[in-house]
Amino acid sequence: MLVLLPPSEGKAASGRGVPLKAESLSLPGLAEARAAVLDELVELCAGDEEKAREVLGLSEGLRGEVAKNVELRTAGTRPAGEIYTGVLYDALDLASLDAAAKRRAAKSLLVFSGLWGAVHTGDRIPSYRCSMGVKLPGLGALGAYWRGVMDPVLTEAAGTGLVLDLRSSAYAAAWKPKGDVASRTATVRVLHSQIVDGVEKRSVVSHFNKATKGRIVRDLLTSGAGPAGPAELVETLRGLGYVVEAEAPAKTGRAWSLDVVMTQIH
């Protein structure tokens, strides 16, 4: 099983470990593209600070993120699973997993990134600021840039198993599974169900959506479940206590869409 995750906008501080060793990152097929984005980002942030802030979409209060990007090659590193924070990662709580679940996480979790393309949670990276929605002066829109190099690398990484896609739309744009891989892919939407005047109403709540996705991944890792495809995933999630609504896609080569319906927000 390969689980595709979005990063978090906010990130933990870089560690005191060794500086970035780009050649040690997983998915070496992305190395050349990573180097190009890193070069462009560092050059941008080492120049006009106001221009860099505008390109990166940073508020005045986040001005310090520009300086942080300048030091990306020399800053300390931490495992990506520690760098990424926020609602989804708080609910996932990688640090508290038992040893077996941590091994499964290291193999199956893949975090998409405007800077790195995608990294496993064990890859050591510095803290940075560069979302997939950024348009760098020399490379253009990062979503389109990564889309041009991702397919062969991610198709190989997906292997023959289930792909659980929990990315937000900006990061999903960087790689869209195709063909056989798409038929083994399941996307998840989390819906809050409540009864209003005797009528059920459903809505998507951003914070709740992220937290639930984090708990879903955690439950899959701790259970040791290994669903082979979307249909098995539906049954696995139901066995874990989730209310899941899903139908097989009408055409082959299309991803499954799963709705996880929750009645309580927490």
PDB file of all heavy atoms in Angstrom, residues 82-116:
ATOM      1  N   GLU A  82       8.844  14.315  11.023  1.00  0.00           N
ATOM      2  CA  GLU A  82       8.940  15.250  12.148  1.00  0.00           C
ATOM      3  C   GLU A  82       8.833  16.700  11.687  1.00  0.00           C
ATOM      4  O   GLU A  82       8.391  17.563  12.442  1.00  0.00           O
ATOM      5  CB  GLU A  82      10.265  15.051  12.889  1.00  0.00           C
ATOM      6  CG  GLU A  82      10.411  13.684  13.538  1.00  0.00           C
ATOM      7  CD  GLU A  82      11.765  13.512  14.226  1.00  0.00           C
ATOM      8  OE1 GLU A  82      12.487  14.535  14.380  1.00  0.00           O
ATOM      9  OE2 GLU A  82      12.105  12.371  14.574  1.00  0.00           O
ATOM     10  N   ILE A  83       9.249  16.969  10.459  1.00  0.00           N
ATOM     11  CA  ILE A  83       9.184  18.333   9.923  1.00  0.00           C
ATOM     12  C   ILE A  83       7.737  18.765   9.704  1.00  0.00           C
ATOM     13  O   ILE A  83       7.347  19.891  10.035  1.00  0.00           O
ATOM     14  CB  ILE A  83       9.975  18.433   8.601  1.00  0.00           C
ATOM     15  CG1 ILE A  83      11.488  18.333   8.862  1.00  0.00           C
ATOM     16  CG2 ILE A  83       9.621  19.711   7.841  1.00  0.00           C
ATOM     17  CD1 ILE A  83      12.092  19.555   9.530  1.00  0.00           C
ATOM     18  N   TYR A  84       6.936  17.866   9.129  1.00  0.00           N
ATOM     19  CA  TYR A  84       5.554  18.229   8.830  1.00  0.00           C
ATOM     20  C   TYR A  84       4.701  18.160  10.087  1.00  0.00           C
ATOM     21  O   TYR A  84       4.722  17.167  10.820  1.00  0.00           O
ATOM     22  CB  TYR A  84       4.987  17.316   7.736  1.00  0.00           C
ATOM     23  CG  TYR A  84       5.700  17.483   6.416  1.00  0.00           C
ATOM     24  CD1 TYR A  84       6.448  16.449   5.855  1.00  0.00           C
ATOM     25  CD2 TYR A  84       5.660  18.700   5.739  1.00  0.00           C
ATOM     26  CE1 TYR A  84       7.111  16.619   4.652  1.00  0.00           C
ATOM     27  CE2 TYR A  84       6.336  18.878   4.543  1.00  0.00           C
ATOM     28  CZ  TYR A  84       7.050  17.834   4.000  1.00  0.00           C
ATOM     29  OH  TYR A  84       7.722  18.017   2.816  1.00  0.00           O
ATOM     30  N   THR A  85       3.961  19.230  10.331  1.00  0.00           N
ATOM     31  CA  THR A  85       3.116  19.336  11.514  1.00  0.00           C
ATOM     32  C   THR A  85       1.685  19.636  11.058  1.00  0.00           C
ATOM     33  O   THR A  85       1.352  19.458   9.908  1.00  0.00           O
ATOM     34  CB  THR A  85       3.631  20.456  12.440  1.00  0.00           C
ATOM     35  OG1 THR A  85       3.620  21.701  11.718  1.00  0.00           O
ATOM     36  CG2 THR A  85       5.049  20.169  12.915  1.00  0.00           C
ATOM     37  N   GLY A  86       0.839  20.090  11.963  1.00  0.00           N
ATOM     38  CA  GLY A  86      -0.513  20.435  11.554  1.00  0.00           C
ATOM     39  C   GLY A  86      -1.510  19.357  11.914  1.00  0.00           C
ATOM     40  O   GLY A  86      -1.175  18.323  12.503  1.00  0.00           O
ATOM     41  N   VAL A  87      -2.754  19.593  11.533  1.00  0.00           N
ATOM     42  CA  VAL A  87      -3.881  18.780  11.988  1.00  0.00           C
ATOM     43  C   VAL A  87      -3.744  17.319  11.586  1.00  0.00           C
ATOM     44  O   VAL A  87      -3.884  16.409  12.412  1.00  0.00           O
ATOM     45  CB  VAL A  87      -5.204  19.361  11.448  1.00  0.00           C
ATOM     46  CG1 VAL A  87      -6.379  18.479  11.848  1.00  0.00           C
ATOM     47  CG2 VAL A  87      -5.415  20.781  11.959  1.00  0.00           C
ATOM     48  N   LEU A  88      -3.478  17.049  10.318  1.00  0.00           N
ATOM     49  CA  LEU A  88      -3.378  15.662   9.853  1.00  0.00           C
ATOM     50  C   LEU A  88      -2.252  14.935  10.575  1.00  0.00           C
ATOM     51  O   LEU A  88      -2.429  13.800  11.038  1.00  0.00           O
ATOM     52  CB  LEU A  88      -3.171  15.633   8.340  1.00  0.00           C
ATOM     53  CG  LEU A  88      -3.203  14.262   7.642  1.00  0.00           C
ATOM     54  CD1 LEU A  88      -3.647  14.426   6.181  1.00  0.00           C
ATOM     55  CD2 LEU A  88      -1.866  13.529   7.695  1.00  0.00           C
ATOM     56  N   TYR A  89      -1.100  15.593  10.684  1.00  0.00           N
ATOM     57  CA  TYR A  89       0.065  14.932  11.279  1.00  0.00           C
ATOM     58  C   TYR A  89      -0.065  14.805  12.793  1.00  0.00           C
ATOM     59  O   TYR A  89       0.469  13.860  13.382  1.00  0.00           O
ATOM     60  CB  TYR A  89       1.342  15.667  10.868  1.00  0.00           C
ATOM     61  CG  TYR A  89       1.600  15.491   9.389  1.00  0.00           C
ATOM     62  CD1 TYR A  89       1.103  16.411   8.466  1.00  0.00           C
ATOM     63  CD2 TYR A  89       2.266  14.374   8.905  1.00  0.00           C
ATOM     64  CE1 TYR A  89       1.287  16.226   7.103  1.00  0.00           C
ATOM     65  CE2 TYR A  89       2.460  14.181   7.555  1.00  0.00           C
ATOM     66  CZ  TYR A  89       1.965  15.109   6.655  1.00  0.00           C
ATOM     67  OH  TYR A  89       2.138  14.909   5.315  1.00  0.00           O
ATOM     68  N   ASP A  90      -0.787  15.733  13.425  1.00  0.00           N
ATOM     69  CA  ASP A  90      -1.066  15.583  14.853  1.00  0.00           C
ATOM     70  C   ASP A  90      -1.935  14.353  15.099  1.00  0.00           C
ATOM     71  O   ASP A  90      -1.713  13.591  16.043  1.00  0.00           O
ATOM     72  CB  ASP A  90      -1.778  16.825  15.396  1.00  0.00           C
ATOM     73  CG  ASP A  90      -0.847  18.017  15.559  1.00  0.00           C
ATOM     74  OD1 ASP A  90       0.382  17.825  15.487  1.00  0.00           O
ATOM     75  OD2 ASP A  90      -1.360  19.141  15.741  1.00  0.00           O
ATOM     76  N   ALA A  91      -2.937  14.150  14.243  1.00  0.00           N
ATOM     77  CA  ALA A  91      -3.821  12.993  14.395  1.00  0.00           C
ATOM     78  C   ALA A  91      -3.100  11.693  14.059  1.00  0.00           C
ATOM     79  O   ALA A  91      -3.324  10.659  14.696  1.00  0.00           O
ATOM     80  CB  ALA A  91      -5.054  13.159  13.506  1.00  0.00           C
ATOM     81  N   LEU A  92      -2.228  11.739  13.073  1.00  0.00           N
ATOM     82  CA  LEU A  92      -1.436  10.565  12.704  1.00  0.00           C
ATOM     83  C   LEU A  92      -0.448  10.202  13.806  1.00  0.00           C
ATOM     84  O   LEU A  92      -0.260   9.019  14.123  1.00  0.00           O
ATOM     85  CB  LEU A  92      -0.711  10.858  11.392  1.00  0.00           C
ATOM     86  CG  LEU A  92       0.283   9.838  10.848  1.00  0.00           C
ATOM     87  CD1 LEU A  92      -0.342   8.460  10.729  1.00  0.00           C
ATOM     88  CD2 LEU A  92       0.817  10.314   9.491  1.00  0.00           C
ATOM     89  N   ASP A  93       0.204  11.191  14.395  1.00  0.00           N
ATOM     90  CA  ASP A  93       1.097  11.024  15.550  1.00  0.00           C
ATOM     91  C   ASP A  93       2.099   9.888  15.332  1.00  0.00           C
ATOM     92  O   ASP A  93       2.131   8.898  16.073  1.00  0.00           O
ATOM     93  CB  ASP A  93       0.265  10.768  16.810  1.00  0.00           C
ATOM     94  CG  ASP A  93       1.070  10.950  18.094  1.00  0.00           C
ATOM     95  OD1 ASP A  93       2.222  11.409  18.014  1.00  0.00           O
ATOM     96  OD2 ASP A  93       0.543  10.610  19.175  1.00  0.00           O
ATOM     97  N   LEU A  94       2.938  10.060  14.347  1.00  0.00           N
ATOM     98  CA  LEU A  94       3.902   9.025  13.991  1.00  0.00           C
ATOM     99  C   LEU A  94       4.792   8.620  15.161  1.00  0.00           C
ATOM    100  O   LEU A  94       5.146   7.442  15.311  1.00  0.00           O
ATOM    101  CB  LEU A  94       4.783   9.517  12.837  1.00  0.00           C
ATOM    102  CG  LEU A  94       4.132   9.584  11.453  1.00  0.00           C
ATOM    103  CD1 LEU A  94       5.034  10.342  10.497  1.00  0.00           C
ATOM    104  CD2 LEU A  94       3.843   8.189  10.931  1.00  0.00           C
ATOM    105  N   ALA A  95       5.171   9.576  15.984  1.00  0.00           N
ATOM    106  CA  ALA A  95       6.126   9.308  17.066  1.00  0.00           C
ATOM    107  C   ALA A  95       5.611   8.281  18.057  1.00  0.00           C
ATOM    108  O   ALA A  95       6.397   7.563  18.687  1.00  0.00           O
ATOM    109  CB  ALA A  95       6.479  10.599  17.788  1.00  0.00           C
ATOM    110  N   SER A  96       4.294   8.193  18.233  1.00  0.00           N
ATOM    111  CA  SER A  96       3.738   7.294  19.236  1.00  0.00           C
ATOM    112  C   SER A  96       3.382   5.908  18.692  1.00  0.00           C
ATOM    113  O   SER A  96       2.909   5.054  19.437  1.00  0.00           O
ATOM    114  CB  SER A  96       2.485   7.917  19.866  1.00  0.00           C
ATOM    115  OG  SER A  96       1.418   7.965  18.928  1.00  0.00           O
ATOM    116  N   LEU A  97       3.615   5.668  17.406  1.00  0.00           N
ATOM    117  CA  LEU A  97       3.328   4.349  16.835  1.00  0.00           C
ATOM    118  C   LEU A  97       4.280   3.304  17.406  1.00  0.00           C
ATOM    119  O   LEU A  97       5.425   3.610  17.758  1.00  0.00           O
ATOM    120  CB  LEU A  97       3.487   4.389  15.314  1.00  0.00           C
ATOM    121  CG  LEU A  97       2.487   5.236  14.518  1.00  0.00           C
ATOM    122  CD1 LEU A  97       2.890   5.261  13.044  1.00  0.00           C
ATOM    123  CD2 LEU A  97       1.067   4.709  14.678  1.00  0.00           C
ATOM    124  N   ASP A  98       3.820   2.072  17.464  1.00  0.00           N
ATOM    125  CA  ASP A  98       4.726   1.001  17.891  1.00  0.00           C
ATOM    126  C   ASP A  98       5.708   0.696  16.761  1.00  0.00           C
ATOM    127  O   ASP A  98       5.593   1.203  15.646  1.00  0.00           O
ATOM    128  CB  ASP A  98       3.955  -0.238  18.335  1.00  0.00           C
ATOM    129  CG  ASP A  98       3.136  -0.883  17.218  1.00  0.00           C
ATOM    130  OD1 ASP A  98       3.556  -0.826  16.044  1.00  0.00           O
ATOM    131  OD2 ASP A  98       2.070  -1.449  17.522  1.00  0.00           O
ATOM    132  N   ALA A  99       6.691  -0.132  17.054  1.00  0.00           N
ATOM    133  CA  ALA A  99       7.782  -0.364  16.106  1.00  0.00           C
ATOM    134  C   ALA A  99       7.294  -0.920  14.780  1.00  0.00           C
ATOM    135  O   ALA A  99       7.748  -0.500  13.708  1.00  0.00           O
ATOM    136  CB  ALA A  99       8.818  -1.306  16.727  1.00  0.00           C
ATOM    137  N   ALA A 100       6.350  -1.859  14.824  1.00  0.00           N
ATOM    138  CA  ALA A 100       5.854  -2.466  13.585  1.00  0.00           C
ATOM    139  C   ALA A 100       5.119  -1.442  12.736  1.00  0.00           C
ATOM    140  O   ALA A 100       5.289  -1.387  11.512  1.00  0.00           O
ATOM    141  CB  ALA A 100       4.935  -3.644  13.912  1.00  0.00           C
ATOM    142  N   ALA A 101       4.294  -0.623  13.384  1.00  0.00           N
ATOM    143  CA  ALA A 101       3.554   0.404  12.649  1.00  0.00           C
ATOM    144  C   ALA A 101       4.496   1.447  12.070  1.00  0.00           C
ATOM    145  O   ALA A 101       4.270   1.963  10.969  1.00  0.00           O
ATOM    146  CB  ALA A 101       2.520   1.057  13.562  1.00  0.00           C
ATOM    147  N   LYS A 102       5.569   1.782  12.799  1.00  0.00           N
ATOM    148  CA  LYS A 102       6.550   2.735  12.277  1.00  0.00           C
ATOM    149  C   LYS A 102       7.233   2.181  11.030  1.00  0.00           C
ATOM    150  O   LYS A 102       7.510   2.927  10.082  1.00  0.00           O
ATOM    151  CB  LYS A 102       7.590   3.065  13.348  1.00  0.00           C
ATOM    152  CG  LYS A 102       7.087   4.021  14.419  1.00  0.00           C
ATOM    153  CD  LYS A 102       8.168   4.319  15.440  1.00  0.00           C
ATOM    154  CE  LYS A 102       7.660   5.313  16.490  1.00  0.00           C
ATOM    155  NZ  LYS A 102       8.661   5.579  17.546  1.00  0.00           N
ATOM    156  N   ARG A 103       7.527   0.886  11.019  1.00  0.00           N
ATOM    157  CA  ARG A 103       8.137   0.285   9.821  1.00  0.00           C
ATOM    158  C   ARG A 103       7.178   0.360   8.644  1.00  0.00           C
ATOM    159  O   ARG A 103       7.591   0.657   7.513  1.00  0.00           O
ATOM    160  CB  ARG A 103       8.533  -1.167  10.108  1.00  0.00           C
ATOM    161  CG  ARG A 103       9.740  -1.311  11.018  1.00  0.00           C
ATOM    162  CD  ARG A 103      10.276  -2.728  11.001  1.00  0.00           C
ATOM    163  NE  ARG A 103       9.324  -3.680  11.562  1.00  0.00           N
ATOM    164  CZ  ARG A 103       9.258  -4.009  12.835  1.00  0.00           C
ATOM    165  NH1 ARG A 103      10.084  -3.436  13.707  1.00  0.00           N
ATOM    166  NH2 ARG A 103       8.383  -4.903  13.267  1.00  0.00           N
ATOM    167  N   ARG A 104       5.899   0.100   8.906  1.00  0.00           N
ATOM    168  CA  ARG A 104       4.911   0.188   7.824  1.00  0.00           C
ATOM    169  C   ARG A 104       4.793   1.623   7.327  1.00  0.00           C
ATOM    170  O   ARG A 104       4.668   1.866   6.127  1.00  0.00           O
ATOM    171  CB  ARG A 104       3.558  -0.339   8.302  1.00  0.00           C
ATOM    172  CG  ARG A 104       3.516  -1.853   8.471  1.00  0.00           C
ATOM    173  CD  ARG A 104       2.112  -2.355   8.714  1.00  0.00           C
ATOM    174  NE  ARG A 104       1.657  -2.106  10.075  1.00  0.00           N
ATOM    175  CZ  ARG A 104       1.855  -2.932  11.095  1.00  0.00           C
ATOM    176  NH1 ARG A 104       2.521  -4.072  10.915  1.00  0.00           N
ATOM    177  NH2 ARG A 104       1.408  -2.654  12.306  1.00  0.00           N
ATOM    178  N   ALA A 105       4.836   2.582   8.245  1.00  0.00           N
ATOM    179  CA  ALA A 105       4.745   3.992   7.856  1.00  0.00           C
ATOM    180  C   ALA A 105       5.926   4.387   6.972  1.00  0.00           C
ATOM    181  O   ALA A 105       5.763   5.088   5.964  1.00  0.00           O
ATOM    182  CB  ALA A 105       4.695   4.871   9.101  1.00  0.00           C
ATOM    183  N   ALA A 106       7.118   3.959   7.356  1.00  0.00           N
ATOM    184  CA  ALA A 106       8.319   4.321   6.605  1.00  0.00           C
ATOM    185  C   ALA A 106       8.267   3.811   5.171  1.00  0.00           C
ATOM    186  O   ALA A 106       8.778   4.453   4.242  1.00  0.00           O
ATOM    187  CB  ALA A 106       9.559   3.774   7.309  1.00  0.00           C
ATOM    188  N   LYS A 107       7.625   2.674   4.962  1.00  0.00           N
ATOM    189  CA  LYS A 107       7.536   2.079   3.627  1.00  0.00           C
ATOM    190  C   LYS A 107       6.393   2.649   2.809  1.00  0.00           C
ATOM    191  O   LYS A 107       6.486   2.768   1.588  1.00  0.00           O
ATOM    192  CB  LYS A 107       7.369   0.565   3.742  1.00  0.00           C
ATOM    193  CG  LYS A 107       8.576  -0.178   4.282  1.00  0.00           C
ATOM    194  CD  LYS A 107       8.278  -1.647   4.498  1.00  0.00           C
ATOM    195  CE  LYS A 107       7.853  -2.340   3.213  1.00  0.00           C
ATOM    196  NZ  LYS A 107       7.633  -3.794   3.416  1.00  0.00           N
ATOM    197  N   SER A 108       5.291   3.009   3.472  1.00  0.00           N
ATOM    198  CA  SER A 108       4.074   3.296   2.716  1.00  0.00           C
ATOM    199  C   SER A 108       3.696   4.776   2.608  1.00  0.00           C
ATOM    200  O   SER A 108       2.965   5.151   1.689  1.00  0.00           O
ATOM    201  CB  SER A 108       2.894   2.535   3.325  1.00  0.00           C
ATOM    202  OG  SER A 108       2.632   2.966   4.649  1.00  0.00           O
ATOM    203  N   LEU A 109       4.168   5.633   3.507  1.00  0.00           N
ATOM    204  CA  LEU A 109       3.732   7.030   3.498  1.00  0.00           C
ATOM    205  C   LEU A 109       4.624   7.879   2.597  1.00  0.00           C
ATOM    206  O   LEU A 109       5.843   7.869   2.737  1.00  0.00           O
ATOM    207  CB  LEU A 109       3.736   7.610   4.911  1.00  0.00           C
ATOM    208  CG  LEU A 109       2.896   6.872   5.967  1.00  0.00           C
ATOM    209  CD1 LEU A 109       2.834   7.699   7.249  1.00  0.00           C
ATOM    210  CD2 LEU A 109       1.495   6.579   5.458  1.00  0.00           C
ATOM    211  N   LEU A 110       3.990   8.616   1.717  1.00  0.00           N
ATOM    212  CA  LEU A 110       4.708   9.474   0.786  1.00  0.00           C
ATOM    213  C   LEU A 110       4.085  10.865   0.838  1.00  0.00           C
ATOM    214  O   LEU A 110       2.899  11.031   0.570  1.00  0.00           O
ATOM    215  CB  LEU A 110       4.607   8.898  -0.629  1.00  0.00           C
ATOM    216  CG  LEU A 110       5.581   9.391  -1.680  1.00  0.00           C
ATOM    217  CD1 LEU A 110       7.014   9.058  -1.278  1.00  0.00           C
ATOM    218  CD2 LEU A 110       5.263   8.772  -3.029  1.00  0.00           C
ATOM    219  N   VAL A 111       4.896  11.854   1.211  1.00  0.00           N
ATOM    220  CA  VAL A 111       4.410  13.223   1.373  1.00  0.00           C
ATOM    221  C   VAL A 111       4.800  14.049   0.146  1.00  0.00           C
ATOM    222  O   VAL A 111       5.973  14.131  -0.206  1.00  0.00           O
ATOM    223  CB  VAL A 111       4.992  13.884   2.636  1.00  0.00           C
ATOM    224  CG1 VAL A 111       4.365  15.268   2.840  1.00  0.00           C
ATOM    225  CG2 VAL A 111       4.758  13.010   3.861  1.00  0.00           C
ATOM    226  N   PHE A 112       3.816  14.663  -0.492  1.00  0.00           N
ATOM    227  CA  PHE A 112       4.083  15.498  -1.656  1.00  0.00           C
ATOM    228  C   PHE A 112       4.548  16.883  -1.211  1.00  0.00           C
ATOM    229  O   PHE A 112       4.186  17.353  -0.142  1.00  0.00           O
ATOM    230  CB  PHE A 112       2.843  15.584  -2.536  1.00  0.00           C
ATOM    231  CG  PHE A 112       2.726  14.426  -3.488  1.00  0.00           C
ATOM    232  CD1 PHE A 112       2.599  13.129  -3.013  1.00  0.00           C
ATOM    233  CD2 PHE A 112       2.792  14.622  -4.851  1.00  0.00           C
ATOM    234  CE1 PHE A 112       2.534  12.054  -3.877  1.00  0.00           C
ATOM    235  CE2 PHE A 112       2.727  13.557  -5.729  1.00  0.00           C
ATOM    236  CZ  PHE A 112       2.599  12.270  -5.250  1.00  0.00           C
ATOM    237  N   SER A 113       5.368  17.521  -2.059  1.00  0.00           N
ATOM    238  CA  SER A 113       6.022  18.772  -1.666  1.00  0.00           C
ATOM    239  C   SER A 113       6.328  19.615  -2.893  1.00  0.00           C
ATOM    240  O   SER A 113       6.765  19.085  -3.921  1.00  0.00           O
ATOM    241  CB  SER A 113       7.319  18.444  -0.919  1.00  0.00           C
ATOM    242  OG  SER A 113       8.193  19.548  -0.887  1.00  0.00           O
ATOM    243  N   GLY A 114       6.112  20.934  -2.765  1.00  0.00           N
ATOM    244  CA  GLY A 114       6.486  21.820  -3.849  1.00  0.00           C
ATOM    245  C   GLY A 114       7.983  21.844  -4.092  1.00  0.00           C
ATOM    246  O   GLY A 114       8.441  22.044  -5.220  1.00  0.00           O
ATOM    247  N   LEU A 115       8.782  21.640  -3.058  1.00  0.00           N
ATOM    248  CA  LEU A 115      10.245  21.663  -3.173  1.00  0.00           C
ATOM    249  C   LEU A 115      10.820  20.304  -3.552  1.00  0.00           C
ATOM    250  O   LEU A 115      11.678  20.207  -4.431  1.00  0.00           O
ATOM    251  CB  LEU A 115      10.862  22.145  -1.859  1.00  0.00           C
ATOM    252  CG  LEU A 115      12.387  22.093  -1.737  1.00  0.00           C
ATOM    253  CD1 LEU A 115      13.076  22.818  -2.890  1.00  0.00           C
ATOM    254  CD2 LEU A 115      12.829  22.693  -0.403  1.00  0.00           C
ATOM    255  N   TRP A 116      10.378  19.252  -2.892  1.00  0.00           N
ATOM    256  CA  TRP A 116      11.019  17.936  -3.064  1.00  0.00           C
ATOM    257  C   TRP A 116      10.269  17.028  -4.034  1.00  0.00           C
ATOM    258  O   TRP A 116      10.778  15.956  -4.361  1.00  0.00           O
ATOM    259  CB  TRP A 116      11.133  17.223  -1.717  1.00  0.00           C
ATOM    260  CG  TRP A 116      11.681  18.074  -0.630  1.00  0.00           C
ATOM    261  CD1 TRP A 116      11.025  18.502   0.492  1.00  0.00           C
ATOM    262  CD2 TRP A 116      12.997  18.636  -0.533  1.00  0.00           C
ATOM    263  NE1 TRP A 116      11.842  19.285   1.268  1.00  0.00           N
ATOM    264  CE2 TRP A 116      13.058  19.389   0.663  1.00  0.00           C
ATOM    265  CE3 TRP A 116      14.122  18.579  -1.344  1.00  0.00           C
ATOM    266  CZ2 TRP A 116      14.202  20.074   1.059  1.00  0.00           C
ATOM    267  CZ3 TRP A 116      15.268  19.268  -0.962  1.00  0.00           C
ATOM    268  CH2 TRP A 116      15.297  19.996   0.235  1.00  0.00           C
TER     269      TRP A 116
END
